[in-house]
Amino acid sequence: MGRTLPVLVTICFIAALTTLSAPAHAGGYSAIVVDADTGRVLHAHEADTLRYPASLTKMMTLYMAFDALKDGRLKLDQRIPVSAHAAGQAPSAIGLRPGQTLIVRDAILAAVTKSANDATVALGEAIGGGSEAQFAAMMTRRAHQIGMTSTTFRNASGLPNPGQKSTARDMATLAQALLKNHKNYYTYFSTPEFEWNDKVFNNHNHLLKRYEGVDGIKTGYIRASGFNLVASAKRDGRRVIGVVFGGTSVTARDNRMIELLDTAFDRIDDHNAPVMAEKTDRNFGLISSAEATTAKPVKSRQVKPRTEAKASGASNGEWAVQLGAFRQAAAAEKLLDRVRGKLPAAEPLVETVDAGKVTLYRARLTGLTQADARTACQQLKREKMTCSVVSPDA
């Protein structure tokens, strides 16, 4: 048993999202979902906590570019210079060289799809009189004008800067402003790919293909922020905007956004419904262990092994470790699937739980002794994972 625990911890830890090495306020989970037409908040969790926006910053750079196009300061077919500063930006990049020129339309598409920092900075310098710092000050002023009162920008791209911060609520405000004030240019955000200099760059926003109705907007990642996403989706004439900060993988971030959008569309016409309660920790969709452990199960099932290495049916005890409770059965099964076979004395189990207004799916490792269950959960908690020890009498 002792030899298998480090493996269990590693696999569970990866499956349930790793913690970020970053300042205390950075990389944490924030989310908000709003009705794009009315601004009504459908869901919020730490929506006003300052986070690093990463490449969500490019949404503001593009907003500024659309402002300039709208009032004639820029033209789509205009060529803008590429400075040494712009060309020297860290990836993502499309490989611009100092002294080149770039068409404004291409700079926009490079920012939207590849999230190219070199093209984005060249665009910002063109608007900011040749200075990215001056452009960032302009971005901040304009952001405050449209209601992003908690946001400060320090660069055009979203590359790491300790002074560059925003909130989930402010990013939702920016998304609404893009839809309202730059409807004609908003369609750029749904561009699936961009071809430039004999190279094709695919859009980083996977939800454009994964989720019906999504037509934007932007992904972002730096180490201090985790994986961020602002998504906008329209179904049956109704549009919602979702913001997620702090994902620890692309897949986890995207899956969390899908959960939020699904729930929002289910609730958008219920004007008496309260704001969705957030009872997750860093593991998106994972309900608090205490609540999920005490909720009444309505049914349970063993998770069948997919390989020859079956989980042993001969348990050496009646204690269990609960790895999480999820709103989707597939999430519970996926977590258990990753640890299957690593604890021969444990039986993977998914229980369907009636938790009042929602149905939860608990992922448990059962058939453990008290000592083994406690040891496993203590180790998981040291790795910042949520778990609980379940006694035979629970």
Side-chain angles (χ1 to χ4, degrees), residues 164-195:
Q164 182 146 288
K165 297 174 185 176
S166 189
T167 67
R169 192 182 306 276
D170 274 7
M171 282 296 158
T173 297
L174 176 54
Q176 286 181 278
L178 282 164
L179 285 159
K180 179 181 178 181
N181 300 332
H182 294 304
K183 185 177 181 180
N184 292 337
Y185 298 115
Y186 175 81
T187 55
Y188 279 114
F189 291 109
S190 61
T191 304
E193 61 183 27
F194 164 57
E195 185 174 354

Side-chain angles (χ1 to χ4, degrees), residues 153 268 295 326:
F153 292 111
I268 194 168
F326 300 81

